[in-house]
């Protein structure tokens, strides 16, 4: 009996010794880079005019209907952002990148009467390997390019306090080598004009549903976010240097947690 108890005790000790944990991602306390200035959103209207707004892609409507664009739900556009941020992330011995998009949404407290509008802040995040951004180093001038990057995790957190963005993300992220969504960077540079068009979002690898934008954009019931013709209707635009400074990552980070 004593021998049985002793063997059980030893086996439990060995089991405990063999219990290994995966590393947890460690995010830098501050973002490495931020994109929040000098960006314009563009939309091709129903009546064939290009409409624009600061950091907002307007909804597709008749361009002369000024009242429509001034209404609170429509001010937020088809998509918008307050900031894009890049955070260096350590995962064991690997260096990852966390791309964060902070954007605005809202709702009526009394939907039936369209009263009591409340603004809300949402955040979308994308986690992937740092070297995946190397694909942005060899862009072809004037060509629309769809750069797809395998994600390790992604999601959208709604109704968030801007000061608590990273604490909320830390509570959500779980690194998964077989994550079922991919990050898409659609980009079109124009060197002569020193301008670049872009849009960021994620697609499910099988079902191809879009996430990371305020609203999907459809033509004849089909999402244009799975179509290279997206930029015929909408995009963000900024100068090339502004965009390059945002995505230009160093060989190694001065990591601060």
């Amino acid at each position: 009996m004593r021998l049985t108890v002793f063997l059980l005790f030893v086996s439990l000790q060995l089991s405990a010794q063999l219990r290994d944990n995966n590393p947890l991602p460690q995010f830098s306390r501050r973002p490495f880079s931020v994109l929040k200035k000098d960006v314009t959103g563009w939309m091709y209207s129903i009546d064939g005019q290009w409409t624009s707004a600061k950091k907002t892609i307007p909804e597709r409507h008749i361009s002369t209907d000024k009242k429509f664009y001034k209404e609170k739900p429509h001010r937020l556009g088809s998509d918008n952002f307050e900031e894009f941020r890049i955070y260096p992330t350590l995962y064991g011995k690997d260096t990852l990148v966390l791309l964060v998009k902070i954007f605005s949404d809202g709702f009526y407290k009394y939907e039936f009467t369209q009263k009591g509008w409340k603004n809300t802040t949402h955040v979308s995040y994308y986690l992937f390997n740092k070297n995946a951004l190397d694909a942005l180093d060899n862009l072809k001038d004037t060509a629309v390019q769809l750069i797809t990057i395998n994600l390790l995790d992604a999601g959208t957190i709604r109704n968030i306090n801007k000061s608590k963005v990273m604490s909320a993300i830390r509570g959500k992220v779980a690194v998964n080598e077989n994550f079922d969504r991919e990050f898409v960077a659609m980009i079109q540079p124009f060197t002569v004009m020193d301008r670049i068009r872009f849009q960021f979002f994620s697609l499910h690898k099988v079902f191809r549903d879009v996430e990371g934008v305020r609203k999907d954009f459809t033509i004849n019931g089909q999402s244009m976010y799975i179509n290279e013709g997206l930029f015929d209707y909408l995009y963000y635009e900024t100068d090339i240097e502004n965009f390059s400074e945002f995505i230009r990552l160093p060989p190694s980070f001065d990591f601060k947690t």
Side-chain angles (χ1 to χ4, degrees), residues 151-177:
L151 285 167
L152 298 170
D153 195 17
T156 296
I157 306 173
R158 303 184 180 278
N159 302 326
I160 192 171
N161 186 317
K162 185 181 174 182
S163 65
K164 298 180 180 178
V165 165
M166 287 309 297
S167 61
I169 291 175
R170 286 188 187 95
K172 294 289 185 181
V173 169
V175 177
N176 180 1
E177 294 284 348

Side-chain angles (χ1 to χ4, degrees), residues 178-201:
N178 298 309
F179 192 66
D180 58 7
R181 303 190 69 83
E182 58 189 9
F183 176 74
V184 181
M186 187 176 284
I187 299 174
Q188 185 180 26
F190 293 89
T191 305
V192 173
M193 296 184 292
D194 188 32
R195 307 298 290 172
I196 189 165
R197 299 171 180 175
F198 70 94
Q199 177 62 307
F200 300 143
F201 52 95

Side-chain angles (χ1 to χ4, degrees), residues 52-77:
S52 65
K54 182 179 180 181
K55 297 195 293 187
T56 300
I57 298 173
E59 293 188 33
R60 192 167 191 246
H61 191 66
I62 298 172
S63 63
T64 54
D65 188 353
K66 305 303 181 183
K67 181 179 179 181
F68 172 87
Y69 292 105
K70 290 180 180 179
E71 292 175 355
K72 291 180 179 179
H74 304 307
R75 290 179 189 172
L76 301 174

